[in-house]
Amino acid sequence: MPLMSPLTKIATGSIVVGLIVLAIKTVAWWMTGSIALLSDALESTVNVATAIAALIAIRVAARPADANHPYGHHKAELLSAILEGVMIIIAALLIIREAYFGLLAPRVLDAPLEGLLLNGAASVINAFWCWILISQGRKRRSPALVADGRHLLTDVISSVGVIFGVLIAIISGWAILDPIMALIVAINILWSGWNVMRESMSGLLDEAIPEAILERIRETIAREATGAIEAHDLRTRTAGRASFVEFHLIVPGEMTVNAAHDICDRIEIALKDILEDCVVTIHVEPECKAKQSGVLVL
Ligand code: ZN
Ligand code: ZN
């Protein structure tokens, strides 16, 4: 394996760009004292966090199963995403606290134009990285990369909004616009943090595969199981990129083990066409084990 795959490079690049943007925007906040610019800076923590989760997914979650973890390491990605979601939510709550004090006692900004220029420069770096993510994602046919790029684009747009808001605050002299802008950004960050956590939580709690794909799984079993009588107790779960499918397959009691195994192999191969990273476990039973409910009669 090469030292750094292209995906590892992109994920590492996202972390580095995120940290640089965070640093520049923090300086812009420090120069101006603007709470809106502080919240805009902390929005970069979301990007750093998701890039770290992506890197963990590539480096740890993709590790093959070993004696210690016979089901694989997929959940490492989910666990890291939850921890990051918690950090993002804490960042948002800190901004809301600052904005609350700002609303009580709005203050005039220091060195506003220099701060805005610096913040704008950081957004240019973000916009450039957006373009890299989206074009690389298209080139490598990776919807995840394109989605990351699109997410970053919404950050660039919200930063432009913040810059305009602060400009209006300076020109009009309405100092209260600054904490109001900060609140809007903070609510957006809170929402992203919650989404990061919610998705990972269902993965950790072994949520079933979405119903649409489940329907295709049932169709595939019905189509490929010629020779068998019934399938029941279908259970599925996902872990990161991997999915697990298991069920019981009823075959005539006198069928040879060879013939029953051929049916299982056929179903497994067909299921792996639908679900890329999927582990299929089939328990073969004779007809006396047939069930009246929750079954797929073949
Ligand atoms: Zn059974
Ligand atoms: Zn086998």
Side-chain angles (χ1 to χ4, degrees), residues 261 264-265 268:
H261 185 250
C264 293
D265 273 356
E268 279 178 39

Side-chain angles (χ1 to χ4, degrees), residues 35 99-109 173-179:
I35 309 164
Y100 171 71
F101 291 128
L103 283 174
L104 291 184
R107 55 177 290 255
V108 178
L109 306 181
W174 296 332
I176 201 147
L177 271 183
D178 182 52

